[in-house]
Every structure is written in structure tokens, then in C-alpha cells.
Amino acid sequence: MGSMNDLVQAELRKITTTGLWWGLLIPTVLVALGGGLLSGGFGQLMIEFTTSAEAEQLSDVLGVTPDQWKFSLLGIGRTINIVTLFPLVFGAMAVANEIGTRTITTTFLTAQNRAQAMLAKLLVYALWGAIYGIATIAAVALGVVLTSGSSQMPGIGDWAMLALACVLASILMTMFGVGLGALLPNAAGVVVLLIMYFLVIENAVQFGLRLSGTPETVVGFLPNGSVNGLTGSVVVDLFMAKAGVVPEEGIDFLRIIAGAGGAQAWWLSGLIFFAWVAASFGGGWARMTQKDIT
Amino acid sequence: MHDGSGLIAVQNLTKHFGPVAAVQNLSFTVSPGSVTGFLGPNGAGKTTTLRMLLGLVRPTSGTATINGRPFHQLGRPGRVVGAVLEAQGFHPRRTARNHLRVYTAAIGVPDAQADQVLTLVGLGSAADRSVGGFSLGMKQRLAVATALLGDPQVLVLDEPANGLDPEGIAWLRNFLQSFARMGRTVLISSHLLAEVEQTVDQVVIVSRGQTVYYGPLEQLRQQQQRRVLVQPSDIGALAGALQAEGVTAIEQLPDGRLAVSGVDSKHVADCALRAGVSIYGIQEEQVDLEQLFFRLTSGQYAGHVPAPYQQGGWAR
């Protein structure tokens, strides 16, 4: 398998010899940092509000314990959801860019076969997805630390779980992008389509369901719903574990805020999105191994 | 694994793009040690054939092999065959050296090879410049450099002269000839015979997706009849005298000269002397391969040109 190592090395060099990866890493870190600052600040604001005398009286009457609620977690979940759009775009450019610049010809001429070339790309982009994920959680954490007091800070265990969900989501989003970029190899077209879908289309569907009063469970099985469910459900679980008493009707609201409305458990959401990744990459794989390069 | 013979073999190769037959039942072989020209008008199926040979396009039927194997069974193809293709590209913001280092990694050869081929094609001083700022000629040189990275036994070049300046064309010609003299195989396509006439030893001529000639260029040259171009003092008298001697292939050229086929200049001059006609100029025409090439490949596109030569009224 010496040739496979060589192709992985070639894919690494393709990424490091052009600026796209850090060009996308800058907004990744900035948005993650901004999201972290807002999440921490929002949590701090909520805690100051709920510990005011009147609010305390109210919560005592209701039998809930809002002063223990880590609102910052919800913002962290939302931030990760949005920031993973950058590794998604990065992944989508993997094949689409090579088709656009016609370097794909040389790539295929120097690989033993197209399957190996595609596999090498997938492995390297998965690694880069992890790099984006680590940068994201680090920037989010920095933002939260800067704006929240100790009561709003997630614990060490919470951070570990958040980091796991974040890196996993980032890797999967990158791989989903690689597949779709191979399936629809037009760099501008695929990026616009992905951003429209993940930011607008699926959210519009979800909003429509919500307005019509239909259960949103179906959303948890769609690409955006499932990948958001991966991080969102982790966040809600962490929130609930330390929240003490939360009213039943509040939980659904929390899930929506965390981006996990209609989503399954975090691990199941992850598996569902993994199935989407497999479908996307499988389609891209089939297209690229069959396509006449003219 | 492949047999290391350096042989390219195309057998009954056919490719349909939807209803369009780009290549039809094409067969030829290319041997090592010589430069083979792959000639035909634009749209004759040259590029598609080369792309099928290189595993980039799937043939509808037939086979194309290098060293006895289809491209995907070559193992490490970059070390067996190098290719310069028209639709081969570069990332505009990657430097020439980095471009090559991507592929030294893929092929599995030392990185030093990148600098060696850059020097070889004369791009040594542009190694750290982004390819986006390269001229067409520089890009073409870089494409040749990329093809040479794996020190391949076989080189396939699709219209490599496009974009090259005269100096670059001369360099490429010498390079390909010395490459072939090392016992390696070179297949080079062009739509202009004149462009590669001085470079190639063998030719494969295709038209409408089919082979119309395949063999040594020398043999093709010999197929062409010689003509004597003569400017006599009295056209009618000389033509009459020649006809009287049984020479009938006489044509009057628009510039007033006679073109006489099937005899040499000595014969024409002697005949003129006997007829008492002065000769102001006489020459044996150089073999016009381009015309022969055109005749072999004509009719692909039904365009007609007026033919004033035939209005002279002389027996042909």
C-alpha cells in the first residue's frame, strides 16, 4: 500500500500549498470566538436576572432552579452548528476545485486508480475536518472563559463531551462536503447550494412544520437536523444533567434553542448524519470513478 | 504487471459520446525508439483516443494498452507514462515547484526530481512563482515538466506546440528526438503536419475517427508524385512538345508557369531545347506533404473551395 501513502502525502501537499484552508480557518475561529463570547455573556446575563430577588421568589414558587442553569451551553451548541459550515465548504471544494482547475487530470494520471485517489482525499479531508473542529472548540472555549463567571462555566467533563461532539460534527461535515463536491463538481454552485440548504432551506421546512403544528421529528432525519442534533442533543443532555428541576414544557424549548429541535439522541443523530455522509460520498465516488475526464 | 516494452497498442478502439461517434474502430501501434506523430484535423478523435489510452475516458469498445496493459493495470502509472494534455490544468495560486511536489509525492519519486525537471524545461528561475502569472508557453513547459517527473518510458503529448513560442517549439523538438533515441516511446498529436514534420519518424493519420494512414513518414513522402515547375518563353509550344512525347500530366499554374508531373527537370529542359522554347526558370517541386495530408483527411467537414487550377484546359 505504498502508493496509498504517497497519495495521502500528495493530498496533504495540495492543501498546504494553497491558502484556502487557512482562508476558511480565519472565519471559523472568528465566528467561533464570537459565538463563545455571546454564549458566555448571555449565560451571565441570565444568571444575573434569575438571581434577582423577584425572580428568586418566582422560581421558588414554581419549584425550579434557574440559578443552576448553564445557559451558556445552549449558545455553545448553536455556535458549533453554524461554524461547521466552514469545514463543509472546505470539503466541498476538494473535488470541485480540482475539476474547475483541471488538475483532476494529473491527479488521475498519477494515481494507481481513481478509487485510491478518492480514498486518499477522503482521509486527508477527514483529518482537516478534525483540525477545524479543534480550532472551533478552542475558540468557543476562549470566548466563554472571557465572558462568563465560574457558575456559567461548563465543567471539565462537559468540555470533553463538547469537544468530542464538535470535532465529530466538523469531520462529518467536511466528508459530506467532499462527497457532494464530487457529485456536483462546480465549486461555486455546490457551495451556494450547501449554504442555502443548511442555512435556509431545511430551517424553512422546520419552521413550516412548527407553524402547522406537525411534529418536527422528520427534521432530525435530514442532513442539517441530524448534524445539529449531534451537537444540540449533547448540549441539552449536559444542561439537563446539572439543571436540577426544569419544567417539562421547557425542555422542547431548550432543544429548539440548542438547535436540536426534532432531533434524536446525540449518538443516533450522529449515525443518521453518518448515513448522509456515506450516501453523499458514495454518490461522489461513483460519479468520479465513472466520469469521462474530457 | 506491465511488460516494459514501451509499446503502445490501440485495437479497434471506439468511443461514442451519446449519438456522436468520436472514434471509430481505430487501430495502430507505436514502437519505442521513434517519435510518432498522431495527425488529423481538429475533431478527428485524436484527443479522445489519447484520453482513452490514458484511462481518462472509458472506451465504448476496443482496447488501448501501454506496455501490454490498460492504464489502470500499470501499477504506478506516473513512472511508466507521462502525458501533456490540452485540458490539463494548474491551481493558479500554487507555485511551479509546489505543483510539481504534489505529484512527486503522488508518483513516489524524490522531491529533488521537481527541481531537476524545472531546470530541464527552462523554468528554474520561475520555480517559486505562482502558476497563475505564467504565460501560455510557460504553462506548457510546466506541463512537460510534470509529464517527466516520474522519468517515464512513454510520453504522450496532445498538441504540445499550442502556446509555445518558436524557441520553445525548437526545444521541444530536440528534446523529444533525444528522448526517443534513448529507446523510449513518444506519441505526439497535432492537427498540422508541418508543425511536427521535422520531429516525427512515424505517422498515424486519422480522419473522421478512423485511421487513414499509418507508417513511416518517409514512405508517405515517396507516395507523393514529383512535379517540375517551368517558366517557358512559349507555354503552348512547350506543352505541345511534351504532349507529343507522351507527357500528359501538365497543368498551367495561375502564375503562368507549367507544372509537369511524372518526369524530371532534365527531361523537360531537353524537350524545350528540341522545341526551340527558351526556359526562364525551372525547379523540381519540394514534396508537399501538407497537401497529401490534406487530401488524406479532407471531407471531414463538407467545405468546398473554388478550384481555379482546373480551368486551364490542359490535359491532366
Side-chain angles (χ1 to χ4, degrees), chain B residues 297-310:
Chain B
T297 59
S298 64
Q300 168 145 23
Y301 304 107
H304 293 285
V305 288
Y309 292 10
Q310 288 166 12

Side-chain angles (χ1 to χ4, degrees), chain B residues 160-237:
Chain B
N162 281 358
L164 277 185
D165 45 29
E167 189 198 350
I169 291 175
W171 170 82
L172 186 67
R173 177 179 301 151
N174 290 332
F175 175 79
L176 293 179
Q177 281 170 341
S178 60
F179 188 86
R181 270 199 295 275
M182 290 189 283
R184 307 193 199 201
T185 312
V186 180
L187 179 62
I188 172 174
S189 85
S190 177
H191 63 283
L192 294 171
L193 177 62
E195 195 175 76
V196 294
E197 196 184 328
Q198 290 169 273
T199 316
V200 304
D201 319 299
Q202 305 271 328
V203 284
V204 177
I205 299 178
V206 291
S207 178
R208 278 162 287 181
Q210 290 174 309
T211 315
V212 291
Y213 177 81
Y214 151 45
L217 186 62
E218 204 44 47
Q219 205 170 310
L220 188 66
R221 269 204 188 97
Q222 283 161 8
Q223 284 184 7
Q224 173 77 336
Q225 273 194 326
R226 291 182 171 199
R227 293 199 305 182
V228 176
L229 304 180
V230 58
Q231 191 170 14
S233 55
D234 184 338
I235 290 175

Side-chain angles (χ1 to χ4, degrees), chain B residues 249-270:
Chain B
I250 308 168
E251 213 176 324
Q252 185 175 1
L253 299 182
D255 62 6
R257 291 187 298 174
L258 285 182
V260 187
S261 302
V263 291
D264 59 14
S265 52
K266 180 176 172 297
H267 189 118
V268 176
D270 289 345

